[in-house]
Amino acid sequence: MKKIAFVGLGVMGYPMAGHLQKAGFDVCVYNRTTAKAEQWVKEFGGCLAQSPREAAQGCEIVFSCVGNDNDVRQVVLGDDGIFAGLAVDAILVDHTTASAELARDLDALAKLENKHFIDAPVSGGQAGAENGVLTVMAGGDLTIFEQVKPVMDAYARFSQLMGQVGSGQLAKMVNQICFVNTVQGLAEGLNFAQKAGLDTDKLIETISKGAAGSWQMDNRGKTMCDREFDFGFAVDWVRKDLAMAFSEAEKIGADLTITKQLDGYYEEVQKKGGSRWDTSSLIARLDD
């Protein structure tokens, strides 16, 4: 039985850590809000640590899933951070959607101490985490990835090593670019359908079978029509992710003109009070 730590019990980390415990791993958790960690232990078992350093001690693999670059630095670095407790040859797998630059910095620090780092952002949202069917995009050494993949299988239906450290974060940026463009097309189409008086249930059932079909249509089409936006991946978070993609695009000379326009649309949704609405809420701005 591998001893594992999981740092960060938000909407994603909480169920991911739960799947690890249910899969038979010995999981120790840490969360900055202690009550959440206590709730997790009550539900799943395992143990609770008082700091990321304590959680990492004696573990072969430590997983982290927090909010942004600064949150990652807070739980990984410093006297009470994960690296301070991580043993030689142990592995930190960071599932946070963060910058590729931070991933490379953490990898360099890990190497100085003969430790290992994998950047491994995920796709699938809260439902994917709860159902154990996430997609993992990883960056790092193949040998290390092969050690952690069987463990990640507890909550992931597919994991892929995209390349060297940072490649996972770059792949996640592509994921976000693609999906927000898909959401906007779906929003405009469904808004058109409603104003044209079409039966949107029949419409979605029909066109989802053809070239217009997508995960977004299958999982968010009907709820977009009903203006239901409570699905976990908030507008605030996608704008954070897109900001990192824009920064990277400037470095490599990639054109994200349309995606920048969509980011402005999400800003409009925020101004409507939708900061915590699901990203499918792009359709809401078309109601005006």
mmCIF file of all heavy atoms in Angstrom, residues 221-271:
data_model
loop_
_atom_site.group_PDB
_atom_site.id
_atom_site.type_symbol
_atom_site.label_atom_id
_atom_site.label_comp_id
_atom_site.label_asym_id
_atom_site.label_seq_id
_atom_site.Cartn_x
_atom_site.Cartn_y
_atom_site.Cartn_z
ATOM 1 N N GLY A 221 -25.923 21.715 -23.170
ATOM 2 C CA GLY A 221 -26.893 22.299 -24.092
ATOM 3 C C GLY A 221 -28.234 22.607 -23.451
ATOM 4 O O GLY A 221 -28.720 23.745 -23.494
ATOM 5 N N LYS A 222 -28.848 21.609 -22.839
ATOM 6 C CA LYS A 222 -30.174 21.806 -22.249
ATOM 7 C C LYS A 222 -30.137 22.783 -21.074
ATOM 8 O O LYS A 222 -31.047 23.606 -20.920
ATOM 9 C CB LYS A 222 -30.753 20.463 -21.810
ATOM 10 C CG LYS A 222 -31.116 19.553 -22.984
ATOM 11 C CD LYS A 222 -31.776 18.259 -22.518
ATOM 12 C CE LYS A 222 -32.157 17.390 -23.699
ATOM 13 N NZ LYS A 222 -32.829 16.124 -23.283
ATOM 14 N N THR A 223 -29.106 22.695 -20.268
ATOM 15 C CA THR A 223 -29.033 23.601 -19.109
ATOM 16 C C THR A 223 -28.749 25.031 -19.550
ATOM 17 O O THR A 223 -29.204 25.978 -18.907
ATOM 18 C CB THR A 223 -27.962 23.124 -18.110
ATOM 19 O OG1 THR A 223 -26.704 22.936 -18.796
ATOM 20 C CG2 THR A 223 -28.366 21.821 -17.458
ATOM 21 N N MET A 224 -28.021 25.201 -20.650
ATOM 22 C CA MET A 224 -27.831 26.555 -21.186
ATOM 23 C C MET A 224 -29.174 27.140 -21.615
ATOM 24 O O MET A 224 -29.465 28.313 -21.345
ATOM 25 C CB MET A 224 -26.853 26.535 -22.356
ATOM 26 C CG MET A 224 -25.404 26.313 -21.947
ATOM 27 S SD MET A 224 -24.282 26.062 -23.354
ATOM 28 C CE MET A 224 -24.154 27.735 -24.001
ATOM 29 N N CYS A 225 -29.994 26.325 -22.248
ATOM 30 C CA CYS A 225 -31.317 26.787 -22.663
ATOM 31 C C CYS A 225 -32.184 27.175 -21.464
ATOM 32 O O CYS A 225 -33.002 28.092 -21.537
ATOM 33 C CB CYS A 225 -32.020 25.709 -23.483
ATOM 34 S SG CYS A 225 -31.290 25.435 -25.116
ATOM 35 N N ASP A 226 -31.985 26.486 -20.356
ATOM 36 C CA ASP A 226 -32.748 26.770 -19.129
ATOM 37 C C ASP A 226 -32.075 27.809 -18.242
ATOM 38 O O ASP A 226 -32.569 28.105 -17.148
ATOM 39 C CB ASP A 226 -32.940 25.475 -18.332
ATOM 40 C CG ASP A 226 -33.835 24.476 -19.042
ATOM 41 O OD1 ASP A 226 -34.666 24.908 -19.871
ATOM 42 O OD2 ASP A 226 -33.690 23.264 -18.782
ATOM 43 N N ARG A 227 -30.919 28.324 -18.689
ATOM 44 C CA ARG A 227 -30.138 29.320 -17.945
ATOM 45 C C ARG A 227 -29.756 28.797 -16.556
ATOM 46 O O ARG A 227 -29.869 29.491 -15.543
ATOM 47 C CB ARG A 227 -30.872 30.652 -17.840
ATOM 48 C CG ARG A 227 -31.278 31.271 -19.196
ATOM 49 C CD ARG A 227 -30.106 31.432 -20.148
ATOM 50 N NE ARG A 227 -30.442 32.194 -21.339
ATOM 51 C CZ ARG A 227 -30.823 31.669 -22.513
ATOM 52 N NH1 ARG A 227 -30.937 30.325 -22.624
ATOM 53 N NH2 ARG A 227 -31.082 32.435 -23.540
ATOM 54 N N GLU A 228 -29.302 27.554 -16.530
ATOM 55 C CA GLU A 228 -28.793 26.941 -15.305
ATOM 56 C C GLU A 228 -27.270 26.892 -15.390
ATOM 57 O O GLU A 228 -26.712 26.294 -16.314
ATOM 58 C CB GLU A 228 -29.350 25.524 -15.139
ATOM 59 C CG GLU A 228 -30.859 25.475 -14.966
ATOM 60 C CD GLU A 228 -31.392 24.051 -14.939
ATOM 61 O OE1 GLU A 228 -30.570 23.108 -15.001
ATOM 62 O OE2 GLU A 228 -32.621 23.882 -14.869
ATOM 63 N N PHE A 229 -26.600 27.520 -14.438
ATOM 64 C CA PHE A 229 -25.146 27.678 -14.539
ATOM 65 C C PHE A 229 -24.406 27.249 -13.275
ATOM 66 O O PHE A 229 -23.358 27.805 -12.939
ATOM 67 C CB PHE A 229 -24.808 29.142 -14.845
ATOM 68 C CG PHE A 229 -25.525 29.706 -16.040
ATOM 69 C CD1 PHE A 229 -26.221 30.904 -15.934
ATOM 70 C CD2 PHE A 229 -25.515 29.051 -17.261
ATOM 71 C CE1 PHE A 229 -26.889 31.441 -17.023
ATOM 72 C CE2 PHE A 229 -26.185 29.574 -18.366
ATOM 73 C CZ PHE A 229 -26.869 30.771 -18.248
ATOM 74 N N ASP A 230 -24.912 26.255 -12.592
ATOM 75 C CA ASP A 230 -24.316 25.843 -11.316
ATOM 76 C C ASP A 230 -23.603 24.499 -11.483
ATOM 77 O O ASP A 230 -24.056 23.480 -10.981
ATOM 78 C CB ASP A 230 -25.397 25.744 -10.236
ATOM 79 C CG ASP A 230 -24.811 25.488 -8.861
ATOM 80 O OD1 ASP A 230 -23.624 25.757 -8.657
ATOM 81 O OD2 ASP A 230 -25.560 25.004 -7.988
ATOM 82 N N PHE A 231 -22.452 24.525 -12.167
ATOM 83 C CA PHE A 231 -21.755 23.266 -12.443
ATOM 84 C C PHE A 231 -20.284 23.264 -12.020
ATOM 85 O O PHE A 231 -19.528 22.399 -12.427
ATOM 86 C CB PHE A 231 -21.875 22.905 -13.930
ATOM 87 C CG PHE A 231 -23.299 22.696 -14.355
ATOM 88 C CD1 PHE A 231 -23.979 23.684 -15.041
ATOM 89 C CD2 PHE A 231 -23.972 21.533 -14.023
ATOM 90 C CE1 PHE A 231 -25.296 23.507 -15.428
ATOM 91 C CE2 PHE A 231 -25.286 21.344 -14.390
ATOM 92 C CZ PHE A 231 -25.955 22.330 -15.092
ATOM 93 N N GLY A 232 -19.870 24.229 -11.236
ATOM 94 C CA GLY A 232 -18.570 24.114 -10.568
ATOM 95 C C GLY A 232 -17.414 24.866 -11.179
ATOM 96 O O GLY A 232 -16.597 25.415 -10.447
ATOM 97 N N PHE A 233 -17.289 24.902 -12.532
ATOM 98 C CA PHE A 233 -16.128 25.578 -13.109
ATOM 99 C C PHE A 233 -16.507 27.020 -13.420
ATOM 100 O O PHE A 233 -17.120 27.329 -14.434
ATOM 101 C CB PHE A 233 -15.633 24.856 -14.363
ATOM 102 C CG PHE A 233 -14.341 25.435 -14.894
ATOM 103 C CD1 PHE A 233 -13.299 25.731 -14.037
ATOM 104 C CD2 PHE A 233 -14.184 25.695 -16.245
ATOM 105 C CE1 PHE A 233 -12.113 26.282 -14.514
ATOM 106 C CE2 PHE A 233 -13.011 26.232 -16.730
ATOM 107 C CZ PHE A 233 -11.976 26.528 -15.864
ATOM 108 N N ALA A 234 -16.107 27.909 -12.539
ATOM 109 C CA ALA A 234 -16.599 29.276 -12.541
ATOM 110 C C ALA A 234 -15.922 30.152 -13.588
ATOM 111 O O ALA A 234 -14.784 29.923 -14.007
ATOM 112 C CB ALA A 234 -16.402 29.897 -11.158
ATOM 113 N N VAL A 235 -16.638 31.199 -13.978
ATOM 114 C CA VAL A 235 -16.122 32.194 -14.917
ATOM 115 C C VAL A 235 -14.815 32.793 -14.409
ATOM 116 O O VAL A 235 -13.867 33.008 -15.179
ATOM 117 C CB VAL A 235 -17.182 33.285 -15.145
ATOM 118 C CG1 VAL A 235 -16.596 34.476 -15.889
ATOM 119 C CG2 VAL A 235 -18.373 32.719 -15.918
ATOM 120 N N ASP A 236 -14.737 33.076 -13.112
ATOM 121 C CA ASP A 236 -13.495 33.625 -12.546
ATOM 122 C C ASP A 236 -12.302 32.729 -12.862
ATOM 123 O O ASP A 236 -11.205 33.211 -13.171
ATOM 124 C CB ASP A 236 -13.619 33.769 -11.026
ATOM 125 C CG ASP A 236 -14.439 34.977 -10.613
ATOM 126 O OD1 ASP A 236 -14.748 35.812 -11.478
ATOM 127 O OD2 ASP A 236 -14.771 35.078 -9.412
ATOM 128 N N TRP A 237 -12.520 31.423 -12.787
ATOM 129 C CA TRP A 237 -11.407 30.484 -12.975
ATOM 130 C C TRP A 237 -11.007 30.385 -14.434
ATOM 131 O O TRP A 237 -9.806 30.297 -14.752
ATOM 132 C CB TRP A 237 -11.777 29.114 -12.421
ATOM 133 C CG TRP A 237 -11.856 29.111 -10.931
ATOM 134 C CD1 TRP A 237 -12.971 28.917 -10.158
ATOM 135 C CD2 TRP A 237 -10.786 29.349 -10.004
ATOM 136 N NE1 TRP A 237 -12.660 29.022 -8.825
ATOM 137 C CE2 TRP A 237 -11.332 29.284 -8.704
ATOM 138 C CE3 TRP A 237 -9.428 29.620 -10.158
ATOM 139 C CZ2 TRP A 237 -10.558 29.477 -7.560
ATOM 140 C CZ3 TRP A 237 -8.658 29.812 -9.013
ATOM 141 C CH2 TRP A 237 -9.216 29.743 -7.734
ATOM 142 N N VAL A 238 -11.971 30.401 -15.345
ATOM 143 C CA VAL A 238 -11.587 30.298 -16.757
ATOM 144 C C VAL A 238 -10.856 31.562 -17.197
ATOM 145 O O VAL A 238 -9.923 31.505 -18.008
ATOM 146 C CB VAL A 238 -12.793 30.000 -17.669
ATOM 147 C CG1 VAL A 238 -13.663 31.220 -17.907
ATOM 148 C CG2 VAL A 238 -12.314 29.449 -19.014
ATOM 149 N N ARG A 239 -11.216 32.702 -16.649
ATOM 150 C CA ARG A 239 -10.498 33.922 -17.003
ATOM 151 C C ARG A 239 -9.070 33.878 -16.456
ATOM 152 O O ARG A 239 -8.133 34.383 -17.104
ATOM 153 C CB ARG A 239 -11.229 35.155 -16.478
ATOM 154 C CG ARG A 239 -12.572 35.422 -17.144
ATOM 155 C CD ARG A 239 -12.976 36.881 -17.054
ATOM 156 N NE ARG A 239 -12.102 37.698 -17.876
ATOM 157 C CZ ARG A 239 -11.815 38.976 -17.596
ATOM 158 N NH1 ARG A 239 -12.321 39.555 -16.514
ATOM 159 N NH2 ARG A 239 -11.019 39.672 -18.382
ATOM 160 N N LYS A 240 -8.889 33.272 -15.291
ATOM 161 C CA LYS A 240 -7.526 33.069 -14.773
ATOM 162 C C LYS A 240 -6.725 32.197 -15.718
ATOM 163 O O LYS A 240 -5.565 32.499 -16.054
ATOM 164 C CB LYS A 240 -7.603 32.434 -13.379
ATOM 165 C CG LYS A 240 -6.263 32.174 -12.696
ATOM 166 C CD LYS A 240 -5.742 30.755 -12.936
ATOM 167 C CE LYS A 240 -6.585 29.702 -12.237
ATOM 168 N NZ LYS A 240 -5.982 28.345 -12.392
ATOM 169 N N ASP A 241 -7.333 31.113 -16.191
ATOM 170 C CA ASP A 241 -6.653 30.194 -17.105
ATOM 171 C C ASP A 241 -6.326 30.874 -18.432
ATOM 172 O O ASP A 241 -5.229 30.701 -18.984
ATOM 173 C CB ASP A 241 -7.530 28.978 -17.379
ATOM 174 C CG ASP A 241 -7.730 28.101 -16.146
ATOM 175 O OD1 ASP A 241 -7.101 28.381 -15.107
ATOM 176 O OD2 ASP A 241 -8.514 27.138 -16.227
ATOM 177 N N LEU A 242 -7.274 31.652 -18.954
ATOM 178 C CA LEU A 242 -7.044 32.316 -20.232
ATOM 179 C C LEU A 242 -5.947 33.366 -20.131
ATOM 180 O O LEU A 242 -5.175 33.557 -21.081
ATOM 181 C CB LEU A 242 -8.342 32.946 -20.734
ATOM 182 C CG LEU A 242 -9.437 31.968 -21.166
ATOM 183 C CD1 LEU A 242 -10.695 32.732 -21.581
ATOM 184 C CD2 LEU A 242 -8.969 31.066 -22.297
ATOM 185 N N ALA A 243 -5.852 34.031 -19.004
ATOM 186 C CA ALA A 243 -4.789 35.027 -18.823
ATOM 187 C C ALA A 243 -3.413 34.383 -18.968
ATOM 188 O O ALA A 243 -2.491 34.973 -19.555
ATOM 189 C CB ALA A 243 -4.922 35.700 -17.456
ATOM 190 N N MET A 244 -3.259 33.166 -18.447
ATOM 191 C CA MET A 244 -1.986 32.458 -18.598
ATOM 192 C C MET A 244 -1.748 32.075 -20.053
ATOM 193 O O MET A 244 -0.610 32.138 -20.543
ATOM 194 C CB MET A 244 -1.958 31.224 -17.695
ATOM 195 C CG MET A 244 -1.905 31.556 -16.220
ATOM 196 S SD MET A 244 -1.672 30.121 -15.167
ATOM 197 C CE MET A 244 -3.219 29.264 -15.396
ATOM 198 N N ALA A 245 -2.793 31.694 -20.763
ATOM 199 C CA ALA A 245 -2.657 31.356 -22.173
ATOM 200 C C ALA A 245 -2.253 32.583 -22.985
ATOM 201 O O ALA A 245 -1.408 32.490 -23.892
ATOM 202 C CB ALA A 245 -3.971 30.777 -22.703
ATOM 203 N N PHE A 246 -2.837 33.741 -22.669
ATOM 204 C CA PHE A 246 -2.487 34.965 -23.385
ATOM 205 C C PHE A 246 -1.018 35.334 -23.154
ATOM 206 O O PHE A 246 -0.319 35.762 -24.071
ATOM 207 C CB PHE A 246 -3.383 36.117 -22.950
ATOM 208 C CG PHE A 246 -4.848 35.902 -23.246
ATOM 209 C CD1 PHE A 246 -5.828 36.419 -22.409
ATOM 210 C CD2 PHE A 246 -5.249 35.163 -24.349
ATOM 211 C CE1 PHE A 246 -7.169 36.215 -22.670
ATOM 212 C CE2 PHE A 246 -6.603 34.958 -24.627
ATOM 213 C CZ PHE A 246 -7.559 35.494 -23.786
ATOM 214 N N SER A 247 -0.568 35.164 -21.913
ATOM 215 C CA SER A 247 0.833 35.457 -21.589
ATOM 216 C C SER A 247 1.773 34.551 -22.377
ATOM 217 O O SER A 247 2.787 35.000 -22.933
ATOM 218 C CB SER A 247 1.060 35.289 -20.091
ATOM 219 O OG SER A 247 2.422 35.494 -19.753
ATOM 220 N N GLU A 248 1.425 33.262 -22.428
ATOM 221 C CA GLU A 248 2.260 32.311 -23.163
ATOM 222 C C GLU A 248 2.206 32.598 -24.664
ATOM 223 O O GLU A 248 3.221 32.471 -25.370
ATOM 224 C CB GLU A 248 1.786 30.887 -22.878
ATOM 225 C CG GLU A 248 2.761 29.797 -23.255
ATOM 226 C CD GLU A 248 4.011 29.768 -22.397
ATOM 227 O OE1 GLU A 248 3.921 30.102 -21.203
ATOM 228 O OE2 GLU A 248 5.084 29.412 -22.931
ATOM 229 N N ALA A 249 1.040 32.984 -25.164
ATOM 230 C CA ALA A 249 0.889 33.270 -26.587
ATOM 231 C C ALA A 249 1.787 34.420 -27.022
ATOM 232 O O ALA A 249 2.345 34.406 -28.131
ATOM 233 C CB ALA A 249 -0.572 33.594 -26.906
ATOM 234 N N GLU A 250 1.941 35.416 -26.167
ATOM 235 C CA GLU A 250 2.824 36.534 -26.483
ATOM 236 C C GLU A 250 4.274 36.073 -26.618
ATOM 237 O O GLU A 250 5.008 36.544 -27.480
ATOM 238 C CB GLU A 250 2.712 37.621 -25.400
ATOM 239 C CG GLU A 250 1.396 38.375 -25.417
ATOM 240 C CD GLU A 250 1.364 39.493 -24.393
ATOM 241 O OE1 GLU A 250 2.440 39.814 -23.826
ATOM 242 O OE2 GLU A 250 0.283 40.060 -24.154
ATOM 243 N N LYS A 251 4.657 35.118 -25.785
ATOM 244 C CA LYS A 251 6.038 34.625 -25.823
ATOM 245 C C LYS A 251 6.323 33.847 -27.109
ATOM 246 O O LYS A 251 7.430 33.917 -27.639
ATOM 247 C CB LYS A 251 6.298 33.716 -24.619
ATOM 248 C CG LYS A 251 6.186 34.396 -23.269
ATOM 249 C CD LYS A 251 6.363 33.373 -22.146
ATOM 250 C CE LYS A 251 6.086 33.979 -20.780
ATOM 251 N NZ LYS A 251 6.156 32.965 -19.705
ATOM 252 N N ILE A 252 5.345 33.097 -27.589
ATOM 253 C CA ILE A 252 5.594 32.197 -28.720
ATOM 254 C C ILE A 252 5.025 32.725 -30.036
ATOM 255 O O ILE A 252 5.184 32.090 -31.079
ATOM 256 C CB ILE A 252 5.018 30.790 -28.439
ATOM 257 C CG1 ILE A 252 3.496 30.827 -28.278
ATOM 258 C CG2 ILE A 252 5.673 30.177 -27.198
ATOM 259 C CD1 ILE A 252 2.856 29.457 -28.054
ATOM 260 N N GLY A 253 4.349 33.877 -29.987
ATOM 261 C CA GLY A 253 3.823 34.466 -31.203
ATOM 262 C C GLY A 253 2.568 33.800 -31.731
ATOM 263 O O GLY A 253 2.345 33.760 -32.946
ATOM 264 N N ALA A 254 1.723 33.281 -30.857
ATOM 265 C CA ALA A 254 0.473 32.630 -31.263
ATOM 266 C C ALA A 254 -0.670 33.650 -31.269
ATOM 267 O O ALA A 254 -0.767 34.505 -30.392
ATOM 268 C CB ALA A 254 0.149 31.482 -30.315
ATOM 269 N N ASP A 255 -1.537 33.546 -32.259
ATOM 270 C CA ASP A 255 -2.662 34.464 -32.418
ATOM 271 C C ASP A 255 -3.890 33.924 -31.689
ATOM 272 O O ASP A 255 -4.420 32.873 -32.055
ATOM 273 C CB ASP A 255 -2.974 34.624 -33.917
ATOM 274 C CG ASP A 255 -4.051 35.687 -34.187
ATOM 275 O OD1 ASP A 255 -4.729 36.111 -33.227
ATOM 276 O OD2 ASP A 255 -4.203 36.079 -35.355
ATOM 277 N N LEU A 256 -4.322 34.648 -30.666
ATOM 278 C CA LEU A 256 -5.515 34.257 -29.909
ATOM 279 C C LEU A 256 -6.571 35.364 -29.973
ATOM 280 O O LEU A 256 -7.260 35.648 -28.990
ATOM 281 C CB LEU A 256 -5.150 33.954 -28.446
ATOM 282 C CG LEU A 256 -4.233 32.757 -28.204
ATOM 283 C CD1 LEU A 256 -3.982 32.570 -26.705
ATOM 284 C CD2 LEU A 256 -4.822 31.477 -28.789
ATOM 285 N N THR A 257 -6.711 35.962 -31.140
ATOM 286 C CA THR A 257 -7.609 37.103 -31.295
ATOM 287 C C THR A 257 -9.036 36.794 -30.862
ATOM 288 O O THR A 257 -9.645 37.547 -30.089
ATOM 289 C CB THR A 257 -7.625 37.578 -32.770
ATOM 290 O OG1 THR A 257 -6.297 37.947 -33.148
ATOM 291 C CG2 THR A 257 -8.556 38.761 -32.945
ATOM 292 N N ILE A 258 -9.591 35.693 -31.344
ATOM 293 C CA ILE A 258 -10.985 35.357 -31.031
ATOM 294 C C ILE A 258 -11.129 34.977 -29.559
ATOM 295 O O ILE A 258 -12.102 35.363 -28.901
ATOM 296 C CB ILE A 258 -11.487 34.214 -31.930
ATOM 297 C CG1 ILE A 258 -11.375 34.611 -33.402
ATOM 298 C CG2 ILE A 258 -12.924 33.849 -31.579
ATOM 299 C CD1 ILE A 258 -12.138 35.871 -33.760
ATOM 300 N N THR A 259 -10.146 34.253 -29.030
ATOM 301 C CA THR A 259 -10.198 33.858 -27.619
ATOM 302 C C THR A 259 -10.156 35.082 -26.719
ATOM 303 O O THR A 259 -10.837 35.126 -25.681
ATOM 304 C CB THR A 259 -9.050 32.894 -27.293
ATOM 305 O OG1 THR A 259 -9.073 31.806 -28.219
ATOM 306 C CG2 THR A 259 -9.180 32.348 -25.885
ATOM 307 N N LYS A 260 -9.393 36.099 -27.100
ATOM 308 C CA LYS A 260 -9.364 37.345 -26.323
ATOM 309 C C LYS A 260 -10.728 38.030 -26.355
ATOM 310 O O LYS A 260 -11.169 38.612 -25.358
ATOM 311 C CB LYS A 260 -8.276 38.274 -26.859
ATOM 312 C CG LYS A 260 -6.871 37.818 -26.533
ATOM 313 C CD LYS A 260 -5.822 38.786 -27.072
ATOM 314 C CE LYS A 260 -4.416 38.313 -26.716
ATOM 315 N NZ LYS A 260 -3.372 39.214 -27.256
ATOM 316 N N GLN A 261 -11.400 37.943 -27.485
ATOM 317 C CA GLN A 261 -12.748 38.499 -27.577
ATOM 318 C C GLN A 261 -13.692 37.762 -26.626
ATOM 319 O O GLN A 261 -14.513 38.388 -25.939
ATOM 320 C CB GLN A 261 -13.249 38.400 -29.008
ATOM 321 C CG GLN A 261 -14.593 39.068 -29.248
ATOM 322 C CD GLN A 261 -14.986 39.073 -30.714
ATOM 323 O OE1 GLN A 261 -14.180 38.795 -31.592
ATOM 324 N NE2 GLN A 261 -16.244 39.381 -30.989
ATOM 325 N N LEU A 262 -13.555 36.441 -26.562
ATOM 326 C CA LEU A 262 -14.401 35.647 -25.669
ATOM 327 C C LEU A 262 -14.093 35.952 -24.210
ATOM 328 O O LEU A 262 -14.996 35.952 -23.365
ATOM 329 C CB LEU A 262 -14.222 34.159 -25.950
ATOM 330 C CG LEU A 262 -14.580 33.693 -27.364
ATOM 331 C CD1 LEU A 262 -14.491 32.178 -27.466
ATOM 332 C CD2 LEU A 262 -15.960 34.178 -27.761
ATOM 333 N N ASP A 263 -12.834 36.223 -23.903
ATOM 334 C CA ASP A 263 -12.478 36.627 -22.546
ATOM 335 C C ASP A 263 -13.211 37.912 -22.169
ATOM 336 O O ASP A 263 -13.692 38.068 -21.039
ATOM 337 C CB ASP A 263 -10.960 36.819 -22.446
ATOM 338 C CG ASP A 263 -10.517 37.195 -21.044
ATOM 339 O OD1 ASP A 263 -10.774 36.418 -20.105
ATOM 340 O OD2 ASP A 263 -9.912 38.274 -20.883
ATOM 341 N N GLY A 264 -13.338 38.809 -23.130
ATOM 342 C CA GLY A 264 -14.113 40.028 -22.890
ATOM 343 C C GLY A 264 -15.584 39.723 -22.655
ATOM 344 O O GLY A 264 -16.241 40.387 -21.835
ATOM 345 N N TYR A 265 -16.113 38.715 -23.338
ATOM 346 C CA TYR A 265 -17.493 38.312 -23.100
ATOM 347 C C TYR A 265 -17.664 37.769 -21.683
ATOM 348 O O TYR A 265 -18.675 38.037 -21.015
ATOM 349 C CB TYR A 265 -17.919 37.239 -24.104
ATOM 350 C CG TYR A 265 -18.048 37.716 -25.535
ATOM 351 C CD1 TYR A 265 -18.187 36.796 -26.580
ATOM 352 C CD2 TYR A 265 -18.039 39.073 -25.857
ATOM 353 C CE1 TYR A 265 -18.314 37.209 -27.897
ATOM 354 C CE2 TYR A 265 -18.161 39.493 -27.172
ATOM 355 C CZ TYR A 265 -18.293 38.563 -28.187
ATOM 356 O OH TYR A 265 -18.411 38.973 -29.479
ATOM 357 N N TYR A 266 -16.673 36.990 -21.232
ATOM 358 C CA TYR A 266 -16.742 36.485 -19.850
ATOM 359 C C TYR A 266 -16.668 37.640 -18.850
ATOM 360 O O TYR A 266 -17.286 37.582 -17.780
ATOM 361 C CB TYR A 266 -15.628 35.475 -19.595
ATOM 362 C CG TYR A 266 -15.983 34.072 -20.031
ATOM 363 C CD1 TYR A 266 -15.204 33.389 -20.966
ATOM 364 C CD2 TYR A 266 -17.092 33.421 -19.511
ATOM 365 C CE1 TYR A 266 -15.532 32.094 -21.372
ATOM 366 C CE2 TYR A 266 -17.429 32.132 -19.904
ATOM 367 C CZ TYR A 266 -16.649 31.481 -20.838
ATOM 368 O OH TYR A 266 -16.983 30.209 -21.232
ATOM 369 N N GLU A 267 -15.937 38.675 -19.194
ATOM 370 C CA GLU A 267 -15.906 39.855 -18.323
ATOM 371 C C GLU A 267 -17.291 40.479 -18.231
ATOM 372 O O GLU A 267 -17.724 40.925 -17.161
ATOM 373 C CB GLU A 267 -14.894 40.870 -18.845
ATOM 374 C CG GLU A 267 -14.723 42.073 -17.921
ATOM 375 C CD GLU A 267 -13.665 43.044 -18.417
ATOM 376 O OE1 GLU A 267 -13.262 42.958 -19.597
ATOM 377 O OE2 GLU A 267 -13.245 43.915 -17.617
ATOM 378 N N GLU A 268 -18.018 40.493 -19.347
ATOM 379 C CA GLU A 268 -19.393 40.989 -19.332
ATOM 380 C C GLU A 268 -20.266 40.136 -18.402
ATOM 381 O O GLU A 268 -21.112 40.677 -17.669
ATOM 382 C CB GLU A 268 -19.981 40.970 -20.744
ATOM 383 C CG GLU A 268 -19.368 41.967 -21.706
ATOM 384 C CD GLU A 268 -19.995 41.882 -23.081
ATOM 385 O OE1 GLU A 268 -21.183 41.517 -23.169
ATOM 386 O OE2 GLU A 268 -19.295 42.164 -24.070
ATOM 387 N N VAL A 269 -20.066 38.816 -18.439
ATOM 388 C CA VAL A 269 -20.830 37.928 -17.555
ATOM 389 C C VAL A 269 -20.509 38.243 -16.098
ATOM 390 O O VAL A 269 -21.418 38.268 -15.241
ATOM 391 C CB VAL A 269 -20.525 36.449 -17.880
ATOM 392 C CG1 VAL A 269 -21.195 35.528 -16.857
ATOM 393 C CG2 VAL A 269 -21.004 36.099 -19.283
ATOM 394 N N GLN A 270 -19.253 38.491 -15.785
ATOM 395 C CA GLN A 270 -18.884 38.864 -14.420
ATOM 396 C C GLN A 270 -19.625 40.123 -13.984
ATOM 397 O O GLN A 270 -20.117 40.207 -12.851
ATOM 398 C CB GLN A 270 -17.376 39.090 -14.331
ATOM 399 C CG GLN A 270 -16.540 37.825 -14.401
ATOM 400 C CD GLN A 270 -15.055 38.111 -14.426
ATOM 401 O OE1 GLN A 270 -14.596 39.032 -15.091
ATOM 402 N NE2 GLN A 270 -14.283 37.316 -13.706
ATOM 403 N N LYS A 271 -19.721 41.091 -14.879
ATOM 404 C CA LYS A 271 -20.391 42.352 -14.542
ATOM 405 C C LYS A 271 -21.886 42.154 -14.345
ATOM 406 O O LYS A 271 -22.535 42.981 -13.694
ATOM 407 C CB LYS A 271 -20.124 43.383 -15.638
ATOM 408 C CG LYS A 271 -18.673 43.859 -15.671
ATOM 409 C CD LYS A 271 -18.408 44.820 -16.826
ATOM 410 C CE LYS A 271 -16.963 45.268 -16.841
ATOM 411 N NZ LYS A 271 -16.654 46.160 -17.999
#
